[in-house]
Amino acid sequence: MARRPRPKPVTLSDAAAARVQEIMEERGAGFLRVGVKNGGCAGMEYVMDYALAPEPLDEVVEEKDVTILIDAKAVLFLLGSEVDYEISPLQEKFVFRNPNQTDACGCGESVTIIPAVDA
């Protein structure tokens, strides 16, 4: 019996992919690292960084000409998330749209996330 295709843990909007590509070209990085860490008043924080190479246990996702690296411990927290890039008159920022996020602090810097049930 053939297995159904596994969904990507994280996707990028067109705006996020374009901005990441611009920044990666400026910095000479080859990969976007996305994850979560413990911290903030709501319990967890999203993290984004650039990397030169994947770590041995990273989940590797190809999305709109961007290679995304996700630490294996973060995959279930990020499953189904979309990273977007928003521009307003006062700020430009990356935004996570995560179906596993249940709460956020008032300042928007930390979130509460429950791990997805891997189906």
Side-chain angles (χ1 to χ4, degrees):
M1 179 160 131
R3 292 181 61 135
R4 65 184 167 114
R6 197 169 117 182
K8 294 179 181 180
V10 174
T11 59
L12 299 175
S13 70
D14 291 341
R19 183 62 182 135
V20 167
Q21 289 170 345
E22 289 172 6
I23 295 170
M24 287 173 63
E25 287 176 17
E26 291 170 7
R27 296 183 184 221
F31 303 93
L32 171 66
R33 180 173 300 285
V34 177
V36 295
K37 69 176 184 174
N38 291 333
C41 53
M44 299 188 98
E45 298 174 349
Y46 294 112
V47 292
M48 293 178 68
D49 201 357
Y50 299 93
L52 297 176
E55 296 293 324
L57 298 177
D58 282 345
E59 177 89 15
V60 179
V61 176
E62 298 290 334
E63 175 72 2
K64 298 179 181 164
D65 296 325
V66 174
T67 304
I68 304 169
L69 307 177
I70 306 168
D71 183 302
K73 294 176 281 193
V75 169
L76 289 179
F77 290 102
L78 295 172
L79 198 60
S81 295
E82 179 192 49
V83 179
D84 194 8
Y85 187 70
E86 295 180 346
I87 300 172
S88 72
L90 297 177
Q91 64 184 352
E92 297 180 20
K93 64 181 177 177
F94 288 99
V95 176
F96 282 77
R97 293 195 175 89
N98 185 343
N100 308 304
Q101 181 178 316
T102 60
D103 198 9
C105 68
C107 67
E109 294 296 319
S110 69
V111 293
T112 303
I113 306 171
I114 57 169
V117 177
D118 193 15

